[in-house]
Amino acid sequence: MSDRYNNDNLNNKYDDIDEFFAQFDKQEAADNKRSSSPGQARHSNHVHSGSSKSDYDADPMIYASRSSESRGNRTHRSDARRSGLEERRAQESESGRSERSARRAEKTRSSENSESRTHRAKRALTSVVGSAGSGRNGKSGRKNALKAAGFVFLGIVMAVGIYAGVIFAATPSIDTSNIYDSISQRSIIYDSDGNEIDNLYLSDGNRTLVDYEDIPEDMVNAVVSIEDKKFWSHNGFNFIRMVGAIKDSVVGGSQISGTSTVTQQLARNVYLSEIKGQRSLTRKLSEAYYTIILEKDLSKEEIMEAYLNTIYLGFNAYGVQAAAQTYFSKDVQDLDALECVSLAALPQSPDTYALVKADYTGENSSSLPTISGTDSVTYLYNGDISSSRRTLILNSMEASGYITSDELSSLLEDDLKDHINVNSSDSSSTSSYFADYVIEQVTQDLVSEYGISRSDAQNMIYTGGLKIYTTLDSSIQSIVEEEFEDDSNFTTVSSFSTNSSGDILSDSGSILLYAYSNYFNDDDQFTLESDEYEMNDDGSMTIYAGNRLNIYETESSGETDISIEFKGMYTRENSSFYFIENGTLSIPQQYKTTDSDGNVVISADFFTDYPDFFVASGDSYVVNSENYTLKQKVRQPQAAIVIMENSTGEIKAMMGGRGTSGKYLYNRATSTRQPGSSIKPISVYGPALQMSYEYEKEGRTMDLSNSDGSNWGDYITAGSVINDAQMTVNGEIWPKNSYSGYKGQVTLRTAVQQSINTCAVKVFQNVGTDYSTSMLKKVGITSIVEDGDTNDMNAASLALGGLTDGISPLELTAAYATFPNGGEYQEAIAYTKVLDSNDEVKLEKVSESEQVYDEGVAWIMTDILRTVVSEGIGSSAAISNQPVGGKTGTTSNKYDIWFAGFTPQYTAALWMGNDINLELSDSSGKAASFWSAIMSRVCEDLPTGSFGEQPSNVVKENGEYYTEGTYTKVSLSKSTTSLETNTTELPTTTEETTNEQQTTTQQETTTEQQTTEQQTTTTQ
């Protein structure tokens, strides 16, 4: 840096004081000259006015243009700048010694100077008392007046001193070693490679701290040139600028302004941010107090670093690093000279001078040049408004020797607009689903780890400058996002019933969704029809409940409100189906009450205060779009996926939906839906093989009945024969398969491959509700409802996936990964560590694991699921360079379709469906092909893997795999084989569970519980 602070400058504290008094010397000299010669006085005033102004004015060029000595100094400074920093510092050190010698010599004249100043003070006081000293007792009167004035002056000084002492005593103490603890800092979320993917901050917290060494020299020089020319030499206060500002205020009648040094601004921004807009003496004294402490405790470099990290630079950017990223999409150390100058020009009026403006309306009424934009915002160039201020800074830098004249010319010709590079990616990108999930996980862990409240944890996240290192693989996330933008991957909404108004009807005939056109006209106006309201005699309006508007009470922050809400609606645009969840009329709460019938009454005062809200149109009232709100229009069908690394449990990608923007959206990846047959491997077949393994280890055999035509053997194994035959529950045929008829005897492997519902129920009956539930919990499924009138303790829920609350794609992913992981369940994690602003570890996260399945059982189950893809109904999920295992799932009426599967490297569960229960045009084969489209790209550059070597406790008998001791020779009977060939064959691209959880569920629950109790008694 060309003009840096050093220890010699400590002696400069006398300079400002001497120059302060010099202001009065100059005024006295001017008075003397005016009294001796009017013409000479005018000349002297001109000269002194110019000289004085050069000491504090923002533009040094006035003085420079009048002084050849100044021009020589500029040449000297420019030469020193080119000769290097060390030479400059040596020169400055020598200069400092010379100045100290001069001051020591000056001490010999201190008595005379003191007398001179005393004489001036006495004369000034004499002029205050005016003519009090004239008359008969002139000499005595002057003495008395002088004494009186002295006492008054002393009293004022004492009063001010006492007041200042009181203010200083009441001012909170500060610890300058932790200066950044007093300001908000943005937290940053990083992906698994350390790349920034999101940042979190409140309104004044978009700030990232950088070290002084990372700040360009041009940045510091530009700030010094425009904000505080004596920064490197003063001790917190530039007395000359203060006196000059006061003088200008007295002469010009304006407010005192432009007197704050960088240190004063830092004190104000950091320690007095809440009252920095006040112009009170209390604030000024507190600021002075903090300024003194900052100068005492910190070096000049530390002060400048803190200032540049805290200053607001417009466009929601706090500090030079945030501003560099905001305006130029680069780190501050990479800024060039013009970019540094452009930022230094902003603090005077950051919002006005902001280099970029955001236009969310698309109107661009200011006619500013367009830089870039997204679907939701256009970025406009606003740099011309600060052009003159940049020029001022550049001229000042050249005058101070920070840049050469050639550099000045080049920088003045450069076009700042060519430097602007606003990142035009939508800040509410689809990856915000993952970021939102990470924030929630970090919040929960901070609460748990430190025993703090949830609000304190969130405040730490949004203001504490945390560094959150996540597990996200940005390349995989990008693949997922691209595939979610491809409409061909999605199925469509199937046909549905409507009424004459176009409203969609449910199976019972009630309105499921209103048509958008049944709410709003082509001008987006809502019309309240005559049969939906009544005007009362007192001028109020009653809006009836039970029509197109829902009326109910809500509570927020302890305040009760009455919501007047539009019901769910749909619209079609370009053959695409959109769902709008709801909306509300924007009527303030104080005007709303409810009557005994649940109707809402809008007071007569509302019509007086808001006469244009309801516009009469015949017997109806029209409400314009600015008087209501609607939730976001959401494309249907929707989808969600989570991709997890098998070996670590790290989430590598997450998508919670498509076609929506913003943060804190409804995340379908972490929300539950009915899983259908995708539950079978983790609730039925995997637990059955594990139970058999445990029985054999204990030396017991399982009591398995073959009375239904099955041939289990001593244990339930991959080779067990199960009879796919009609079952009757409470007099009704249940369950049904996705194909007509029954296949007869099939092996367990075939039952999984073809997703045969009867076989799943029969295996479940032998496993039992309790064991099935316990195994689901061990693999991380938390949504099982065990109690209450409606619960999941039955085959419809646990064997066929008709769960009360469902399972989320996130939990299903982690559960399925247990199989390729050798039976070890890995908790899904989204971050690995969290550091605070001082890079100290706040949290560390490692996936917790539990051995749920024996390694041999897990290997056999993995192999069975592999053949679901290679030989069964999951063939659409296959990819070219990796083996794939997994299971499809389709719920009743095709409301939900799934594919949950794995490669040797990753596991992913993909769900597709509508946000409301509308039938889809395709079954689970569409979900499987979507899964394949994503995972084939994710794995395309990976070496072909395998699901591991066959464990030592796995044997192969008659072409099937068993854990040691569980093999029993069984075979398909010829008669049932013949029956199988005469039944309708199962389609290879679709399957459907008939898992309606309806009135028969409770009957079936009772029967199932009885069966389970009998089975448990027999086997135990």
Side-chain angles (χ1 to χ4, degrees), residues 341-384:
V341 169
S342 71
L343 297 185
L346 301 180
Q348 184 184 64
S349 185
D351 287 320
T352 300
Y353 288 161
L355 303 179
V356 173
K357 298 289 185 182
D359 176 23
Y360 293 96
T361 66
E363 296 177 355
N364 191 10
S365 56
S366 59
S367 300
L368 294 173
T370 298
I371 301 172
S372 62
T374 67
D375 292 340
S376 58
V377 61
T378 301
Y379 296 114
L380 309 173
Y381 175 65
N382 188 52
D384 289 344

Short mmCIF file of all heavy atoms in Angstrom, two decimals, residues 341-384:
data_model
loop_
_atom_site.label_atom_id
_atom_site.label_comp_id
_atom_site.label_asym_id
_atom_site.label_seq_id
_atom_site.Cartn_x
_atom_site.Cartn_y
_atom_site.Cartn_z
N VAL A 341 -12.66 1.22 -7.12
CA VAL A 341 -13.11 2.61 -7.05
C VAL A 341 -14.63 2.69 -7.08
O VAL A 341 -15.25 3.48 -6.37
CB VAL A 341 -12.49 3.42 -8.20
CG1 VAL A 341 -13.15 4.80 -8.32
CG2 VAL A 341 -10.99 3.57 -8.00
N SER A 342 -15.26 1.84 -7.89
CA SER A 342 -16.73 1.88 -8.00
C SER A 342 -17.39 1.52 -6.67
O SER A 342 -18.44 2.06 -6.33
CB SER A 342 -17.19 0.92 -9.10
OG SER A 342 -17.03 -0.42 -8.72
N LEU A 343 -16.77 0.62 -5.90
CA LEU A 343 -17.32 0.27 -4.59
C LEU A 343 -17.05 1.38 -3.58
O LEU A 343 -17.90 1.68 -2.72
CB LEU A 343 -16.74 -1.04 -4.09
CG LEU A 343 -17.04 -2.29 -4.93
CD1 LEU A 343 -16.49 -3.54 -4.24
CD2 LEU A 343 -18.53 -2.44 -5.19
N ALA A 344 -15.87 1.99 -3.66
CA ALA A 344 -15.55 3.07 -2.74
C ALA A 344 -16.47 4.27 -2.92
O ALA A 344 -16.65 5.08 -1.99
CB ALA A 344 -14.09 3.50 -2.93
N ALA A 345 -17.08 4.40 -4.08
CA ALA A 345 -17.98 5.52 -4.35
C ALA A 345 -19.36 5.34 -3.75
O ALA A 345 -20.16 6.28 -3.74
CB ALA A 345 -18.10 5.72 -5.87
N LEU A 346 -19.67 4.16 -3.23
CA LEU A 346 -21.04 3.86 -2.83
C LEU A 346 -21.45 4.27 -1.42
O LEU A 346 -22.62 4.60 -1.20
CB LEU A 346 -21.30 2.35 -3.00
CG LEU A 346 -21.11 1.79 -4.41
CD1 LEU A 346 -21.40 0.28 -4.41
CD2 LEU A 346 -22.00 2.49 -5.40
N PRO A 347 -20.56 4.25 -0.40
CA PRO A 347 -21.03 4.45 0.98
C PRO A 347 -21.77 5.75 1.22
O PRO A 347 -22.62 5.81 2.11
CB PRO A 347 -19.73 4.39 1.79
CG PRO A 347 -18.82 3.52 0.99
CD PRO A 347 -19.13 3.88 -0.43
N GLN A 348 -21.50 6.81 0.46
CA GLN A 348 -22.19 8.09 0.70
C GLN A 348 -23.70 7.94 0.54
O GLN A 348 -24.48 8.50 1.30
CB GLN A 348 -21.67 9.15 -0.28
CG GLN A 348 -22.29 10.53 -0.03
CD GLN A 348 -21.85 11.55 -1.05
OE1 GLN A 348 -22.15 11.42 -2.23
NE2 GLN A 348 -21.12 12.56 -0.60
N SER A 349 -24.15 7.16 -0.44
CA SER A 349 -25.58 6.93 -0.66
C SER A 349 -25.74 5.57 -1.34
O SER A 349 -26.02 5.48 -2.53
CB SER A 349 -26.18 8.04 -1.52
OG SER A 349 -27.57 7.89 -1.64
N PRO A 350 -25.57 4.49 -0.58
CA PRO A 350 -25.46 3.15 -1.18
C PRO A 350 -26.67 2.70 -1.96
O PRO A 350 -26.52 2.05 -3.00
CB PRO A 350 -25.19 2.24 0.03
CG PRO A 350 -25.62 3.02 1.22
CD PRO A 350 -25.39 4.45 0.89
N ASP A 351 -27.87 3.00 -1.50
CA ASP A 351 -29.04 2.55 -2.24
C ASP A 351 -29.24 3.34 -3.52
O ASP A 351 -29.64 2.80 -4.55
CB ASP A 351 -30.29 2.63 -1.36
CG ASP A 351 -30.31 1.55 -0.29
OD1 ASP A 351 -29.92 0.42 -0.61
OD2 ASP A 351 -30.71 1.85 0.85
N THR A 352 -28.95 4.64 -3.45
CA THR A 352 -29.07 5.47 -4.66
C THR A 352 -27.98 5.14 -5.66
O THR A 352 -28.23 5.03 -6.86
CB THR A 352 -28.98 6.96 -4.29
OG1 THR A 352 -30.03 7.28 -3.38
CG2 THR A 352 -29.10 7.84 -5.53
N TYR A 353 -26.75 4.97 -5.17
CA TYR A 353 -25.61 4.72 -6.04
C TYR A 353 -25.42 3.25 -6.41
O TYR A 353 -24.50 2.92 -7.16
CB TYR A 353 -24.32 5.21 -5.38
CG TYR A 353 -24.16 6.71 -5.31
CD1 TYR A 353 -23.26 7.30 -4.43
CD2 TYR A 353 -24.92 7.54 -6.13
CE1 TYR A 353 -23.10 8.67 -4.36
CE2 TYR A 353 -24.78 8.92 -6.07
CZ TYR A 353 -23.87 9.49 -5.18
OH TYR A 353 -23.73 10.84 -5.13
N ALA A 354 -26.24 2.35 -5.86
CA ALA A 354 -26.07 0.91 -6.15
C ALA A 354 -25.84 0.69 -7.64
O ALA A 354 -26.55 1.22 -8.49
CB ALA A 354 -27.31 0.15 -5.69
N LEU A 355 -24.83 -0.12 -7.96
CA LEU A 355 -24.43 -0.29 -9.35
C LEU A 355 -25.46 -1.05 -10.17
O LEU A 355 -25.46 -0.99 -11.40
CB LEU A 355 -23.08 -1.02 -9.42
CG LEU A 355 -21.93 -0.35 -8.66
CD1 LEU A 355 -20.66 -1.19 -8.79
CD2 LEU A 355 -21.69 1.06 -9.18
N VAL A 356 -26.34 -1.77 -9.49
CA VAL A 356 -27.34 -2.58 -10.16
C VAL A 356 -28.70 -2.36 -9.49
O VAL A 356 -28.77 -2.22 -8.26
CB VAL A 356 -26.97 -4.08 -10.11
CG1 VAL A 356 -28.09 -4.95 -10.67
CG2 VAL A 356 -25.68 -4.34 -10.88
N LYS A 357 -29.74 -2.31 -10.28
CA LYS A 357 -31.11 -2.26 -9.78
C LYS A 357 -31.84 -3.52 -10.25
O LYS A 357 -31.55 -4.05 -11.33
CB LYS A 357 -31.85 -1.03 -10.28
CG LYS A 357 -31.25 0.31 -9.82
CD LYS A 357 -31.49 0.55 -8.35
CE LYS A 357 -31.01 1.94 -7.94
NZ LYS A 357 -31.20 2.17 -6.48
N ALA A 358 -32.78 -3.97 -9.44
CA ALA A 358 -33.57 -5.16 -9.80
C ALA A 358 -34.98 -4.73 -10.19
O ALA A 358 -35.63 -3.98 -9.46
CB ALA A 358 -33.62 -6.14 -8.64
N ASP A 359 -35.42 -5.17 -11.34
CA ASP A 359 -36.77 -4.86 -11.83
C ASP A 359 -37.59 -6.14 -11.82
O ASP A 359 -37.34 -7.05 -12.61
CB ASP A 359 -36.70 -4.26 -13.24
CG ASP A 359 -38.07 -4.02 -13.84
OD1 ASP A 359 -39.03 -3.88 -13.05
OD2 ASP A 359 -38.19 -3.97 -15.07
N TYR A 360 -38.57 -6.20 -10.92
CA TYR A 360 -39.40 -7.40 -10.80
C TYR A 360 -40.69 -7.28 -11.60
O TYR A 360 -41.43 -8.25 -11.72
CB TYR A 360 -39.73 -7.66 -9.33
CG TYR A 360 -38.52 -8.04 -8.51
CD1 TYR A 360 -37.83 -7.09 -7.77
CD2 TYR A 360 -38.06 -9.35 -8.48
CE1 TYR A 360 -36.71 -7.43 -7.02
CE2 TYR A 360 -36.94 -9.70 -7.75
CZ TYR A 360 -36.28 -8.73 -7.03
OH TYR A 360 -35.16 -9.07 -6.28
N THR A 361 -40.97 -6.08 -12.11
CA THR A 361 -42.22 -5.87 -12.85
C THR A 361 -42.05 -6.03 -14.35
O THR A 361 -43.02 -6.24 -15.07
CB THR A 361 -42.77 -4.47 -12.56
OG1 THR A 361 -41.86 -3.49 -13.09
CG2 THR A 361 -42.92 -4.25 -11.06
N GLY A 362 -40.81 -5.89 -14.83
CA GLY A 362 -40.57 -5.95 -16.26
C GLY A 362 -40.87 -4.65 -16.98
O GLY A 362 -40.77 -4.56 -18.21
N GLU A 363 -41.23 -3.60 -16.24
CA GLU A 363 -41.60 -2.33 -16.87
C GLU A 363 -40.39 -1.44 -17.15
O GLU A 363 -40.38 -0.64 -18.07
CB GLU A 363 -42.58 -1.59 -15.96
CG GLU A 363 -43.90 -2.33 -15.77
CD GLU A 363 -44.84 -1.61 -14.81
OE1 GLU A 363 -44.40 -0.58 -14.24
OE2 GLU A 363 -45.97 -2.06 -14.63
N ASN A 364 -39.33 -1.53 -16.30
CA ASN A 364 -38.12 -0.71 -16.45
C ASN A 364 -38.48 0.75 -16.70
O ASN A 364 -38.09 1.35 -17.70
CB ASN A 364 -37.24 -1.26 -17.59
CG ASN A 364 -35.86 -0.60 -17.60
OD1 ASN A 364 -35.47 0.11 -16.67
ND2 ASN A 364 -35.12 -0.84 -18.69
N SER A 365 -39.22 1.32 -15.78
CA SER A 365 -39.66 2.71 -15.92
C SER A 365 -38.50 3.68 -15.90
O SER A 365 -38.62 4.81 -16.40
CB SER A 365 -40.64 3.05 -14.79
OG SER A 365 -40.05 2.82 -13.52
N SER A 366 -37.37 3.29 -15.34
CA SER A 366 -36.20 4.17 -15.29
C SER A 366 -35.40 4.17 -16.57
O SER A 366 -34.48 4.97 -16.73
CB SER A 366 -35.29 3.75 -14.13
OG SER A 366 -34.87 2.41 -14.30
N SER A 367 -35.72 3.27 -17.50
CA SER A 367 -35.02 3.16 -18.80
C SER A 367 -33.53 2.88 -18.63
O SER A 367 -32.72 3.32 -19.46
CB SER A 367 -35.24 4.43 -19.62
OG SER A 367 -36.61 4.64 -19.87
N LEU A 368 -33.15 2.19 -17.58
CA LEU A 368 -31.75 1.83 -17.38
C LEU A 368 -31.37 0.68 -18.30
O LEU A 368 -32.22 -0.15 -18.63
CB LEU A 368 -31.50 1.43 -15.93
CG LEU A 368 -31.67 2.54 -14.88
CD1 LEU A 368 -31.56 1.94 -13.47
CD2 LEU A 368 -30.62 3.63 -15.07
N PRO A 369 -30.11 0.58 -18.69
CA PRO A 369 -29.67 -0.53 -19.56
C PRO A 369 -29.83 -1.88 -18.85
O PRO A 369 -29.57 -2.00 -17.66
CB PRO A 369 -28.19 -0.21 -19.82
CG PRO A 369 -28.03 1.22 -19.50
CD PRO A 369 -29.02 1.54 -18.42
N THR A 370 -30.25 -2.88 -19.59
CA THR A 370 -30.41 -4.22 -19.04
C THR A 370 -29.08 -4.96 -19.05
O THR A 370 -28.35 -4.94 -20.04
CB THR A 370 -31.45 -5.01 -19.85
OG1 THR A 370 -32.71 -4.36 -19.75
CG2 THR A 370 -31.58 -6.44 -19.33
N ILE A 371 -28.80 -5.63 -17.94
CA ILE A 371 -27.57 -6.43 -17.83
C ILE A 371 -27.87 -7.90 -18.07
O ILE A 371 -27.27 -8.55 -18.91
CB ILE A 371 -26.93 -6.25 -16.45
CG1 ILE A 371 -26.59 -4.78 -16.20
CG2 ILE A 371 -25.68 -7.12 -16.32
CD1 ILE A 371 -26.13 -4.50 -14.78
N SER A 372 -28.80 -8.43 -17.29
CA SER A 372 -29.18 -9.84 -17.39
C SER A 372 -30.49 -10.02 -16.66
O SER A 372 -31.07 -9.05 -16.16
CB SER A 372 -28.09 -10.75 -16.79
OG SER A 372 -27.92 -10.46 -15.42
N GLY A 373 -30.96 -11.26 -16.57
CA GLY A 373 -32.20 -11.48 -15.86
C GLY A 373 -32.62 -12.93 -15.86
O GLY A 373 -31.98 -13.79 -16.47
N THR A 374 -33.69 -13.20 -15.14
CA THR A 374 -34.30 -14.51 -15.10
C THR A 374 -35.78 -14.34 -15.40
O THR A 374 -36.23 -13.26 -15.77
CB THR A 374 -34.13 -15.15 -13.71
OG1 THR A 374 -34.89 -14.38 -12.75
CG2 THR A 374 -32.68 -15.15 -13.28
N ASP A 375 -36.53 -15.41 -15.23
CA ASP A 375 -37.96 -15.32 -15.46
C ASP A 375 -38.64 -14.37 -14.48
O ASP A 375 -39.68 -13.79 -14.79
CB ASP A 375 -38.61 -16.71 -15.34
CG ASP A 375 -38.19 -17.62 -16.48
OD1 ASP A 375 -37.74 -17.10 -17.51
OD2 ASP A 375 -38.30 -18.85 -16.32
N SER A 376 -38.04 -14.19 -13.31
CA SER A 376 -38.70 -13.41 -12.27
C SER A 376 -38.11 -12.03 -12.05
O SER A 376 -38.74 -11.19 -11.40
CB SER A 376 -38.65 -14.18 -10.94
OG SER A 376 -37.31 -14.46 -10.57
N VAL A 377 -36.92 -11.74 -12.57
CA VAL A 377 -36.30 -10.45 -12.31
C VAL A 377 -35.38 -10.07 -13.46
O VAL A 377 -34.77 -10.92 -14.10
CB VAL A 377 -35.49 -10.49 -10.98
CG1 VAL A 377 -34.39 -11.53 -11.06
CG2 VAL A 377 -34.92 -9.13 -10.62
N THR A 378 -35.31 -8.76 -13.72
CA THR A 378 -34.38 -8.21 -14.70
C THR A 378 -33.40 -7.30 -13.97
O THR A 378 -33.81 -6.45 -13.17
CB THR A 378 -35.12 -7.40 -15.78
OG1 THR A 378 -36.05 -8.25 -16.45
CG2 THR A 378 -34.13 -6.82 -16.80
N TYR A 379 -32.09 -7.45 -14.24
CA TYR A 379 -31.07 -6.65 -13.58
C TYR A 379 -30.68 -5.50 -14.51
O TYR A 379 -30.36 -5.71 -15.68
CB TYR A 379 -29.86 -7.50 -13.22
CG TYR A 379 -30.18 -8.58 -12.22
CD1 TYR A 379 -30.12 -9.92 -12.56
CD2 TYR A 379 -30.56 -8.24 -10.92
CE1 TYR A 379 -30.42 -10.91 -11.64
CE2 TYR A 379 -30.86 -9.22 -9.99
CZ TYR A 379 -30.80 -10.55 -10.35
OH TYR A 379 -31.09 -11.52 -9.44
N LEU A 380 -30.69 -4.28 -13.96
CA LEU A 380 -30.44 -3.06 -14.72
C LEU A 380 -29.16 -2.39 -14.24
O LEU A 380 -28.86 -2.38 -13.05
CB LEU A 380 -31.62 -2.09 -14.58
CG LEU A 380 -33.01 -2.67 -14.86
CD1 LEU A 380 -34.09 -1.65 -14.52
CD2 LEU A 380 -33.13 -3.10 -16.32
N TYR A 381 -28.41 -1.79 -15.18
CA TYR A 381 -27.16 -1.09 -14.85
C TYR A 381 -27.45 0.31 -14.35
O TYR A 381 -28.12 1.10 -15.02
CB TYR A 381 -26.26 -1.03 -16.08
CG TYR A 381 -24.99 -0.24 -15.86
CD1 TYR A 381 -24.03 -0.69 -14.95
CD2 TYR A 381 -24.76 0.95 -16.53
CE1 TYR A 381 -22.87 0.03 -14.74
CE2 TYR A 381 -23.59 1.67 -16.33
CZ TYR A 381 -22.65 1.20 -15.43
OH TYR A 381 -21.50 1.92 -15.21
N ASN A 382 -26.93 0.63 -13.14
CA ASN A 382 -27.17 1.93 -12.52
C ASN A 382 -25.87 2.65 -12.20
O ASN A 382 -25.83 3.56 -11.38
CB ASN A 382 -28.00 1.72 -11.24
CG ASN A 382 -28.48 3.03 -10.63
OD1 ASN A 382 -29.07 3.85 -11.31
ND2 ASN A 382 -28.22 3.21 -9.34
N GLY A 383 -24.79 2.26 -12.86
CA GLY A 383 -23.48 2.80 -12.51
C GLY A 383 -23.24 4.23 -12.94
O GLY A 383 -22.37 4.90 -12.39
N ASP A 384 -24.00 4.73 -13.90
CA ASP A 384 -23.75 6.09 -14.39
C ASP A 384 -24.00 7.15 -13.32
O ASP A 384 -23.39 8.21 -13.33
CB ASP A 384 -24.62 6.38 -15.61
CG ASP A 384 -24.17 5.60 -16.83
OD1 ASP A 384 -23.02 5.09 -16.82
OD2 ASP A 384 -24.96 5.48 -17.79
#
